[in-house]
Amino acid sequence: MARPTPLSGFPEWLPDGRLVEQHVLDSLRRTFELHGFAGIETRAVEPLDQLLRKGETSKEVYVLRRLQEEGDGAEGASRGDRAEKQLGLHFDLTVPFARYVLENAGHLAFPFKRYQIQKVWRGERPQEGRFREFVQADIDVVGAGDLPYHYEVELPLVMAEALGELRSVGVPPVRILVNNRKVAEGFYRGLGLDDVEAVLRSIDKLDKVGPDEVARLLVAEAGATAEQASACLELASISGEDVGVVDRVRALAEAHGASTALLETGLDELGALVAAAAERAPGVVVADLKIARGLDYYTGSVYETVLVGHEHLGSICSGGRYDTLASDGANTYPGVGLSIGVSRLVSRLLSAGLVRATRAVPSAVLVAVTDEATRADSDRVAAALRARGIPTDVAPTAAKFGKQIRFADRRGIPFVWFPAGVTADGTATTHQVKDIRSGDQVEADPASWEPPTGDRWATVVAGEQQD
Amino acid sequence: MARPTPLSGFPEWLPDGRLVEQHVLDSLRRTFELHGFAGIETRAVEPLDQLLRKGETSKEVYVLRRLQEEGDGAEGASRGDRAEKQLGLHFDLTVPFARYVLENAGHLAFPFKRYQIQKVWRGERPQEGRFREFVQADIDVVGAGDLPYHYEVELPLVMAEALGELRSVGVPPVRILVNNRKVAEGFYRGLGLDDVEAVLRSIDKLDKVGPDEVARLLVAEAGATAEQASACLELASISGEDVGVVDRVRALAEAHGASTALLETGLDELGALVAAAAERAPGVVVADLKIARGLDYYTGSVYETVLVGHEHLGSICSGGRYDTLASDGANTYPGVGLSIGVSRLVSRLLSAGLVRATRAVPSAVLVAVTDEATRADSDRVAAALRARGIPTDVAPTAAKFGKQIRFADRRGIPFVWFPAGVTADGTATTHQVKDIRSGDQVEADPASWEPPTGDRWATVVAGEQQD
């Protein structure tokens, strides 16, 4: 086999990169669990008709086929396989979660708060920060029949906390941009623009194509007059961290005669979110009236999140409120949720050198082996250390100690342990442990020696920032 | 959407089942890391030609195709997509690991110890304990050029410890059955049987079809005489926990004039493994000369593992030594590893009621909400508890307290917190926390109250065994 090359769009990390990813995942999970979210996993596949239900062909679904069926319809049919539903890999965690809720509704307690951390697949053309296989970390709350508004305040604050926890290892601060569909829709309808989706689609392009082109699109595709287009752009230009934003939107609506009951409801909600955020996550949540989110199933709050200083990466955590996450006809399940693009985040942390692992292996200690005949002594020392929760490796061969120390050094293992024994001339030696960074060597007892706290487990620290 | 039904072969757990699975995975990971194994993940897909390299069509590979390519060769070709390599989902973690080692050899330090916990997919017909999507937890050590024998002793002992750690939550004890290919091959060749693979294939069926049928197969397919077949069956009947096994095999070989140098090498290795296991994991490792492992790439030790009392489930953790895990022509990478079938294990633990989660959600505390106007007070109590690592939820609505207590009870949340406030008649009330299992209610301070240690996190305990 020739040396294989990476597959574009399918990222893999070396052990020290995986350690960074694992740290991010463990930290997110801890915050989600502290907030009472239950972890679930769903299968990787869904029936193709469910994946395409919302016309999501842009997600470029990967379709599965069993090899034995390939070009062999007849045999497949004779075994009854062709009757199997066509399956595809999920492209997000929302579609599978909605199906899971319907399938298990009788066994779940609502409102149901769940987190889900899994890989998803999209056959899109790979580019920077856009992968074909990537990890998402989602939280959602779903109600049976109804879901109180306060969860729309709660969820972005949980994400603010989860992402904020990562600042201690060098992850840049985040800014969560929030808007409310009721504000947008209420304002557009108040202006007399009824094709709300067309307006949202145009506004969604603001960052990409600029205000002049959006104005042209609003006229051409949403049927706006130049004046209406200008009012939409004025609304989109409003942003801020305090409830003053609400007053500015209200004043703008009044100036254009665009006040509606729906707008007022939306402004009440947006104001409550901004006020709560100002207390619980000051400086993190920003009302930004240009946030549109292309997807038509959002019905209330919508969220996007940027990494401060890395805004060009796009949103690393998005979501919103949807009145119908799932429905089986008899029951409707509204929800609100956000999804972190973990691979995009981790890829950036690694490529920009923002974060690094303290070592590439878990071991804090390498126990040296004096000669193969006494390997069992080294194994006993390792067992004693592990029994007290100290990750420990044993040297692969009884090479010269210099070589064994280099083995530890290459992996970043900070301590080398020399087991007690008897030298060739019959002298008894004691257990010794050497910090190979400082060169300090001390006598030690396998039953009680402890590494410094920060050395026990491989962990993640801030790197030397590249930008 | 009608209520969906499960897909056969694609297991999913309810939140309390996922909690059991997560506990098993966390526990395995901790043991692997204590032994210095670095965690990696590989992508879910491999080029199809690599997946089929060893003629593994029996694994029923799932082939991927992008939806946009479906029945649309012309358009696909014009976009250059058809030139892409055909991809399939991995059916184990060994093939991807071998590819990862070759791809990253220049960045890895050998011997390289890695653990890998991921889903794999096989399009086999689903049956009890056999899934189409399942989680494997693998450990392997791979060397560059050579790999000392002691790792063949080390790895099953790591798995014995990893599985043994789970006994505290009700997982039955395991028995690791070990054999050595050199013993089998040396003995068969000493007997004059040169089609070693045919002999191994026949012996591998012993548990399924019994000794008479295996004797017939040995004659019909491996070219054995009745006497040679009988000697093979005698060898397969030998098992035991101590080095006496080695003497019995040696005596049998001598009686049949089947002693060879290869047999002696194998017996030395098997003896060393049994001796080390007797010290480090007494009663767990059993030499069992009938263990053949169908796969032809094993060259030394081979392992299978049964759950005591659930032997009919088959092996839950298997593996062995292979001299050529990977090779790029210039370099060869020998390895030894074992793989736990986590889904098979967890499925059994859940279906037999051997293990259960203490509750279905992470929360130890539900903070009650007196009325929606004071929800922020409840949020502040929750924030104070979470800041000290106590998983906490807040009631979804300001319902009557009885209803809020039932909300906690349904989820198994042990404590309900009533925030300090002012009653309708102006009386100030203090913070109170109620253990809803005992009914005890006490005054408490959000800044210092602690739940009993065992109540802090949802965890896993032994269930009421069903068998």
Side-chain angles (χ1 to χ4, degrees):
Chain A
M1 179 179 186
R3 188 167 157 220
T5 49
L7 273 181
S8 174
F10 292 86
E12 286 183 337
W13 315 122
L14 286 167
D16 57 345
R18 170 61 184 167
L19 223 139
V20 168
E21 181 176 64
Q22 186 71 66
H23 179 87
V24 168
L25 297 176
D26 287 346
S27 179
L28 295 176
R29 176 181 154 196
R30 182 180 156 87
T31 302
F32 299 160
E33 292 185 351
L34 280 174
H35 283 265
F37 289 81
I40 67 162
E41 285 209 339
T42 56
R43 63 192 189 219
V45 303
E46 297 294 332
L48 194 56
D49 54 353
Q50 285 306 310
L51 291 171
L52 303 179
R53 202 157 55 100
K54 292 192 165 142
E56 294 282 22
T57 51
S58 65
K59 295 291 193 299
E60 299 247 4
V61 173
Y62 279 110
V63 182
L64 256 59
R65 182 164 299 178
R66 286 167 56 202
L67 186 63
Q68 276 69 356
E69 296 169 47
E70 293 270 290
D72 197 356
E75 196 205 330
S78 72
R79 301 193 310 185
D81 289 339
R82 294 188 73 190
E84 281 181 38
K85 268 192 173 176
Q86 257 209 312
L87 301 175
L89 293 175
H90 56 216
F91 55 78
D92 71 7
L93 302 178
T94 306
V95 171
F97 176 54
R99 190 262 313 151
Y100 180 95
V101 166
L102 285 185
E103 192 174 311
N104 300 295
H107 304 282
L108 301 173
F110 295 96
F112 176 50
K113 296 168 71 169
R114 82 86 175 81
Y115 74 89
Q116 191 171 348
I117 299 175
Q118 286 186 252
K119 289 191 175 144
V120 305
W121 293 268
R122 297 182 187 178
E124 298 175 297
R125 196 153 294 279
Q127 45 182 292
E128 209 221 317
R130 202 172 279 276
F131 300 114
R132 291 186 153 187
E133 174 179 67
F134 55 100
V135 179
Q136 286 194 332
D138 284 25
I139 54 172
D140 284 87
V141 183
V142 60
D146 58 9
L147 185 74
Y149 173 73
H150 65 79
Y151 287 113
E152 292 177 56
V153 177
E154 190 66 31
L155 264 72
L157 292 174
V158 175
M159 281 303 198
E161 189 177 320
L163 292 163
E165 282 295 321
L166 295 170
R167 291 196 57 186
S168 62
V169 297
V171 175
V174 297
R175 190 169 295 130
I176 302 181
L177 313 174
V178 304
N179 194 3
N180 190 300
R181 272 289 164 87
K182 292 172 189 162
V183 172
E185 180 169 352
F187 184 86
Y188 303 150
R189 291 200 190 276
L191 281 180
L193 292 169
D194 286 332
D195 190 351
V196 173
E197 281 181 34
V199 179
L200 285 171
R201 271 199 308 275
S202 304
I203 294 292
D204 201 26
K205 292 177 182 148
L206 194 52
D207 279 344
K208 263 189 209 146
V209 302
D212 293 347
E213 175 63 11
V214 170
R216 197 192 63 75
L217 286 170
L218 285 167
V219 172
E221 296 185 7
T225 63
E227 200 178 19
Q228 288 169 326
S230 163
C232 291
L233 284 166
E234 274 187 86
L235 179 70
S237 73
I238 295 176
S239 74
E241 284 174 35
D242 58 44
V243 288
V245 165
V246 170
D247 299 328
R248 287 159 64 196
V249 174
R250 192 174 285 123
L252 180 72
E254 278 163 16
H256 289 279
S259 306
T260 60
L262 185 64
L263 174 69
E264 276 306 315
T265 304
L267 287 175
D268 283 350
E269 293 186 356
L270 189 61
L273 174 48
V274 169
E279 179 191 337
R280 292 170 59 184
V284 174
V285 173
V286 178
D288 189 335
L289 279 293
K290 78 167 182 296
I291 299 301
R293 305 290 304 145
L295 302 169
D296 62 1
Y297 48 77
Y298 292 119
T299 53
S301 302
V302 287
Y303 318 105
E304 293 193 357
T305 309
V306 292
L307 212 51
V308 175
H310 304 259
E311 287 80 0
H312 63 283
L313 199 59
S315 178
I316 58 154
C317 174
S318 311
R321 155 91 187 205
Y322 26 78
D323 283 339
T324 311
L325 170 69
S327 172
D328 59 9
N331 301 290
T332 295
Y333 301 88
V336 53
L338 293 99
S339 173
I340 300 180
V342 176
S343 299
R344 181 182 292 195
L345 174 63
V346 169
S347 163
R348 183 70 188 164
L349 297 178
L350 293 175
S351 68
L354 296 167
V355 167
R356 65 173 179 83
T358 53
R359 52 187 188 252
V361 296
S363 307
V365 180
L366 176 75
V367 183
V369 175
T370 311
D371 55 63
E372 286 300 333
T374 61
R375 173 171 292 278
D377 294 341
S378 300
D379 285 337
R380 271 180 220 111
V381 171
L385 295 174
R386 289 174 192 136
R388 292 186 295 106
I390 302 168
T392 304
D393 207 347
V394 176
T397 62
K400 286 187 180 151
F401 282 161
K403 195 173 169 192
Q404 296 192 41
I405 291 170
R406 279 197 301 282
F407 176 96
D409 192 40
R410 276 198 68 183
R411 288 158 176 79
I413 301 174
F415 296 96
V416 175
W417 190 288
F418 303 100
V422 179
T423 61
D425 65 1
T427 317
T429 61
T430 58
H431 287 289
Q432 303 264 326
V433 63
K434 185 191 194 78
D435 182 331
I436 64 171
R437 297 161 301 188
S438 64
D440 294 346
Q441 184 167 329
V442 296
E443 226 178 279
D445 180 349
S448 61
W449 177 84
E450 290 278 334
T453 308
D455 285 335
R456 179 180 290 253
W457 292 96
T459 185
V460 171
V461 293
E464 276 130 57
Q465 201 161 337
Q466 301 285 303
D467 52 351
Chain B
M1 179 179 185
R3 185 163 160 224
T5 50
L7 275 181
S8 174
F10 292 86
E12 286 183 337
W13 315 124
L14 287 167
D16 58 345
R18 170 61 185 167
L19 223 139
V20 168
E21 182 176 62
Q22 187 70 66
H23 180 88
V24 168
L25 296 176
D26 288 346
S27 179
L28 294 175
R29 174 181 156 198
R30 182 179 155 87
T31 302
F32 299 160
E33 292 186 349
L34 280 174
H35 282 265
F37 289 80
I40 68 162
E41 284 209 339
T42 56
R43 63 193 189 218
V45 302
E46 297 294 333
L48 193 57
D49 54 354
Q50 286 306 310
L51 291 171
L52 302 179
R53 201 157 56 97
K54 292 192 166 141
E56 293 283 21
T57 51
S58 64
K59 295 291 191 300
E60 298 247 4
V61 173
Y62 280 109
V63 182
L64 258 59
R65 181 165 300 178
R66 287 166 56 203
L67 186 64
Q68 275 70 357
E69 297 168 47
E70 292 271 288
D72 198 355
E75 196 204 331
S78 72
R79 300 193 310 185
D81 290 340
R82 294 189 72 189
E84 281 181 36
K85 269 192 174 176
Q86 258 210 311
L87 300 175
L89 293 175
H90 57 217
F91 56 78
D92 70 8
L93 302 178
T94 306
V95 171
F97 176 54
R99 190 261 315 151
Y100 180 95
V101 166
L102 285 186
E103 192 174 312
N104 300 295
H107 304 283
L108 301 173
F110 294 96
F112 176 51
K113 297 168 73 170
R114 83 86 174 81
Y115 74 89
Q116 191 170 347
I117 298 176
Q118 285 186 250
K119 288 189 176 147
V120 305
W121 293 269
R122 297 181 187 178
E124 297 175 297
R125 196 152 294 278
Q127 44 182 292
E128 208 221 319
R130 202 171 280 276
F131 300 115
R132 292 186 153 187
E133 175 180 66
F134 54 101
V135 179
Q136 286 194 332
D138 284 25
I139 53 172
D140 284 88
V141 183
V142 60
D146 58 9
L147 185 74
Y149 172 73
H150 65 80
Y151 287 114
E152 292 177 55
V153 177
E154 191 67 32
L155 264 72
L157 292 174
V158 175
M159 280 303 198
E161 188 177 320
L163 292 164
E165 282 294 322
L166 296 170
R167 291 195 57 186
S168 61
V169 298
V171 175
V174 297
R175 190 169 295 131
I176 302 182
L177 313 174
V178 304
N179 195 2
N180 191 298
R181 273 291 164 85
K182 292 171 189 163
V183 171
E185 180 168 352
F187 185 87
Y188 302 150
R189 291 199 190 277
L191 280 180
L193 292 169
D194 286 331
D195 190 351
V196 174
E197 281 182 34
V199 179
L200 286 172
R201 272 199 307 274
S202 304
I203 294 293
D204 202 26
K205 293 176 181 148
L206 195 51
D207 279 345
K208 264 189 209 147
V209 302
D212 292 348
E213 175 62 11
V214 169
R216 197 193 64 74
L217 285 171
L218 285 167
V219 172
E221 297 185 7
T225 64
E227 200 176 20
Q228 288 169 325
S230 163
C232 291
L233 285 166
E234 274 186 86
L235 179 70
S237 73
I238 294 175
S239 74
E241 285 174 34
D242 58 45
V243 288
V245 165
V246 169
D247 298 329
R248 288 159 63 196
V249 174
R250 192 174 285 125
L252 181 71
E254 277 164 16
H256 288 280
S259 305
T260 59
L262 185 63
L263 174 68
E264 275 307 315
T265 305
L267 286 175
D268 283 350
E269 292 185 356
L270 189 60
L273 174 47
V274 170
E279 179 191 337
R280 291 170 58 185
V284 174
V285 174
V286 179
D288 189 334
L289 279 292
K290 78 168 181 295
I291 299 302
R293 306 289 305 143
L295 303 170
D296 61 2
Y297 48 78
Y298 292 119
T299 53
S301 302
V302 288
Y303 319 105
E304 293 192 356
T305 308
V306 292
L307 213 51
V308 174
H310 304 259
E311 287 79 1
H312 64 281
L313 200 59
S315 178
I316 58 154
C317 175
S318 310
R321 155 91 187 206
Y322 26 78
D323 283 339
T324 311
L325 169 69
S327 173
D328 59 10
N331 301 292
T332 295
Y333 300 88
V336 54
L338 292 100
S339 173
I340 300 179
V342 176
S343 298
R344 182 182 293 195
L345 175 63
V346 169
S347 163
R348 183 68 188 165
L349 297 178
L350 294 174
S351 68
L354 295 167
V355 167
R356 66 172 179 85
T358 52
R359 52 187 188 252
V361 296
S363 307
V365 180
L366 176 77
V367 183
V369 174
T370 310
D371 55 64
E372 287 299 332
T374 62
R375 174 172 291 279
D377 294 341
S378 300
D379 285 337
R380 271 180 220 112
V381 170
L385 295 173
R386 290 175 192 136
R388 293 187 295 105
I390 302 167
T392 304
D393 207 348
V394 176
T397 62
K400 286 185 182 154
F401 282 160
K403 195 174 169 192
Q404 297 191 41
I405 290 170
R406 279 198 300 281
F407 176 95
D409 192 41
R410 276 198 66 184
R411 288 158 178 78
I413 301 174
F415 295 96
V416 175
W417 190 289
F418 302 100
V422 179
T423 61
D425 65 2
T427 317
T429 63
T430 58
H431 287 290
Q432 302 264 327
V433 64
K434 184 191 194 80
D435 182 332
I436 64 171
R437 298 161 301 189
S438 64
D440 294 345
Q441 183 166 332
V442 295
E443 224 177 281
D445 179 351
S448 60
W449 177 84
E450 290 280 334
T453 308
D455 284 336
R456 179 179 289 253
W457 293 97
T459 185
V460 171
V461 294
E464 277 128 58
Q465 200 161 336
Q466 302 285 304
D467 53 348

